[in-house]
Amino acid sequence: MARKNYSEEFRRQAVDLYESTPGATVRGIAEDLGIVRGTLRHWLETYGTGKKTAADGTLTSSPLQSKNSSKSPSAPEGETPEQKIARLQARVNELEVETTKLTTEREILQRAAKYFGRGDALVSRFQFVADNSATFEVKRLCELVEIERSSFYAWLKAAPAREERARADAELATRIRAVHGQDSTQGAPRITAELNDGAPVGDCVNHKRVARVMRAEGIRGYVKKRRVRTTIPEPSGQKYPDLLKRDFTAEAPNRRYVGDITYLPLADGTNLYLATVIDCYSRRLAGWAVADHMRTELVEDALKAAAAARGSLKGAIFHSDHGSVYCSKDYAKLCKRLGVTQSMGAVGSSADNALAESFNATMKREVLQDTACWSDEPTCRRQVFRWLVRYNTRRRHTWCGYLSPSTYEARRAATLPTAA
């Protein structure tokens, strides 16, 4: 069953996939994503950059780019030499103005390049405008670096408060180094306790602030390296009975779901995380979410995406492991609001959630193949997005008789007897 409603994020990712895939065609990408070509063409007109990657990897103009390019005005009939000279002189003046504008923009962007390599891109843009406001017009600077003038002036007005916070953070960093120097194994919680020991109530420091300053200053306690864990049991969390008993089948769509979290390793040593919601009936990936954290919002976003794709999850069962995010009160509230009944396998038993585990292994094996990790975050998000969508619309699944999950559901729905 094809989706009728697509989020703006999905549309932008589809456009990015077309523009960044070497030699991609509208027809091929549309078939991979399970949409009609006209829909993708409309998205490209709305969100596209007018550029695409050719088969050899070079960046070229998109063939879909508007063909109504600007042309020089043609000479009117019966134009006298004097009129022609005046017209051409006016055109020269226009081009000189445009050249001056482009030269100014290039100079501004050349100056801005060194700013954009810093940590906070937005703050860097504000700082760039502030540093160059005496040379160029603030309005033009804000337009080129794509920020609102009101936001820039608000940032400028808050400069004294930022300076005061920076001074206070520098003082705190000095105190943290002194405590850390005595015992380098200490992390933020222990250092916070040490700093607050015996201090007046008004001088106590929050552990989140200590952790932030430690990250900024590169101060950390000793942590033994180990493999990435995506299932973190929560002893105080709520437990639910196993309603599937390793029976990963369903009599109809939207009855039983399984889900899990898996990590997506990046070349810089960090990870992204993927949360899934898979229909046991067709193995269709009803919902998913990718983020750079494993907080409860990750699995909540995946379940909300499934609810949006299916229209409703009322009466469905969702089965997972005992990860802390699945045991959280916030997730339980979301399930209750959506009418979903939670189910959990035994602690430490991957077989109790084998369908979700197998899906994660297949995805990473087929996307990464012989590569150990993704080169960077944008590449990871792009490749995972394409595989996940193509999994539903094009990838043939043995469970579905070598049909894609979406095709399997559509054909089974067509053969079911209708009510009299």
Side-chain angles (χ1 to χ4, degrees):
M1 185 181 299
R3 292 177 59 179
K4 296 183 179 179
N5 298 317
Y6 300 88
S7 65
E8 182 177 356
E9 180 182 4
F10 185 96
R11 299 176 187 179
R12 291 185 181 278
Q13 286 181 312
V15 171
D16 175 70
L17 186 63
Y18 168 81
E19 294 182 343
S20 62
T21 302
T25 63
V26 173
R27 178 177 182 178
I29 296 298
E31 289 178 351
D32 279 354
L33 301 182
I35 59 179
V36 297
R37 280 175 280 177
T39 299
L40 181 56
R41 287 180 183 275
H42 175 68
W43 294 351
L44 288 167
E45 292 174 359
T46 305
Y47 304 104
T49 63
K51 300 290 184 180
K52 76 177 300 292
T53 305
D56 59 359
T58 59
L59 198 63
T60 62
S61 296
S62 172
L64 301 177
Q65 194 174 15
S66 175
K67 297 180 180 178
N68 298 323
S69 56
S70 59
K71 298 180 180 179
S72 300
S74 58
E77 296 182 3
E79 184 181 39
T80 65
E82 292 78 8
Q83 291 174 331
K84 181 177 181 179
I85 292 174
R87 177 174 57 81
L88 293 177
Q89 184 60 51
R91 179 59 178 163
V92 169
N93 293 339
E94 291 177 3
L95 293 175
E96 287 179 348
V97 172
E98 184 67 20
T99 301
T100 302
K101 178 181 177 182
L102 293 175
T103 302
T104 303
E105 290 181 358
R106 182 175 64 181
E107 183 180 353
I108 292 174
L109 293 175
Q110 285 176 341
R111 294 190 182 191
K114 63 180 181 180
Y115 284 79
F116 296 156
R118 301 176 183 176
D120 190 321
L122 184 59
V123 171
S124 298
R125 295 182 187 192
F126 288 147
Q127 190 63 56
F128 169 74
V129 174
D131 292 346
N132 292 272
S133 58
T135 307
F136 303 101
E137 185 183 11
V138 170
K139 178 181 178 181
R140 191 69 188 131
L141 289 169
C142 291
E143 288 176 351
L144 285 176
V145 297
E146 299 179 348
I147 59 174
E148 297 290 338
R149 274 187 295 168
S150 58
S151 299
F152 166 69
Y153 286 121
W155 176 84
L156 204 62
K157 185 177 180 180
R162 285 198 306 276
E163 292 176 358
E164 176 59 26
R165 285 197 300 270
R167 182 196 60 78
D169 285 349
E171 293 180 356
L172 179 60
T174 301
R175 297 170 58 197
I176 290 174
R177 285 195 184 91
V179 176
H180 188 262
Q182 298 174 4
D183 183 357
S184 61
T185 66
Q186 295 185 100
R190 292 173 61 192
I191 289 180
T192 302
E194 186 71 23
L195 292 173
N196 291 336
D197 185 25
V201 176
D203 294 337
C204 289
V205 62
N206 185 276
H207 71 280
K208 293 182 179 179
R209 184 185 173 202
V210 172
R212 175 177 59 80
V213 172
M214 289 180 66
R215 283 194 302 270
E217 298 294 326
I219 305 171
R220 63 186 65 186
Y222 173 76
V223 178
K224 183 178 180 180
K225 293 183 178 180
R226 57 186 178 183
R227 68 183 183 89
V228 177
R229 293 184 62 198
T230 54
T231 301
I232 304 175
E234 175 56 57
S236 60
Q238 189 170 356
K239 304 299 186 296
Y240 299 91
D242 186 350
L243 303 179
L244 299 192
K245 303 296 183 181
R246 301 188 183 180
D247 178 13
F248 304 111
T249 62
E251 297 178 355
N254 205 22
R255 299 283 184 83
R256 289 181 166 191
Y257 291 93
V258 297
D260 196 13
I261 300 176
T262 189
Y263 74 100
L264 309 174
L266 305 180
D268 61 2
T270 61
N271 300 300
L272 293 179
Y273 299 92
L274 167 67
T276 55
V277 180
I278 306 166
D279 196 320
C280 293
Y281 174 74
S282 61
R283 278 30 179 183
R284 177 181 174 179
L285 182 63
W288 77 85
V290 177
D292 58 357
H293 61 79
M294 287 198 303
R295 297 191 293 272
T296 306
E297 301 94 82
L298 175 62
V299 293
E300 287 180 334
D301 288 345
L303 194 63
K304 290 176 183 177
R310 288 303 197 186
S312 173
L313 296 179
K314 187 174 182 180
I317 294 174
F318 177 77
H319 182 81
S320 68
D321 56 29
H322 283 262
S324 58
V325 290
Y326 292 116
C327 295
S328 68
K329 293 181 179 179
D330 289 340
Y331 193 73
K333 290 179 182 178
L334 175 63
C335 288
K336 184 177 181 180
R337 188 170 76 245
L338 296 178
V340 174
T341 301
Q342 285 188 259
S343 167
M344 291 183 177
V347 176
S349 175
S350 60
D352 285 352
N353 202 19
L355 175 55
E357 298 275 358
S358 176
F359 176 91
N360 292 337
T362 300
M363 184 276 295
K364 287 196 278 191
R365 182 179 66 250
E366 294 186 1
V367 179
L368 285 176
Q369 297 183 13
D370 295 328
T371 307
C373 59
W374 281 274
S375 57
D376 52 48
E377 180 176 333
T379 300
C380 176
R381 287 182 178 272
R382 185 179 299 130
Q383 291 182 355
V384 170
F385 167 74
R386 181 175 190 176
W387 190 92
L388 294 178
V389 177
R390 195 176 187 278
Y391 168 87
N392 278 340
T393 61
R394 297 287 300 278
R395 185 184 180 278
R396 299 181 183 275
H397 202 297
T398 54
W399 173 264
C400 302
Y402 291 98
L403 297 174
S404 70
S406 295
T407 303
Y408 177 80
E409 286 191 2
R411 291 192 181 181
R412 291 296 292 270
T415 59
L416 289 177
T418 57

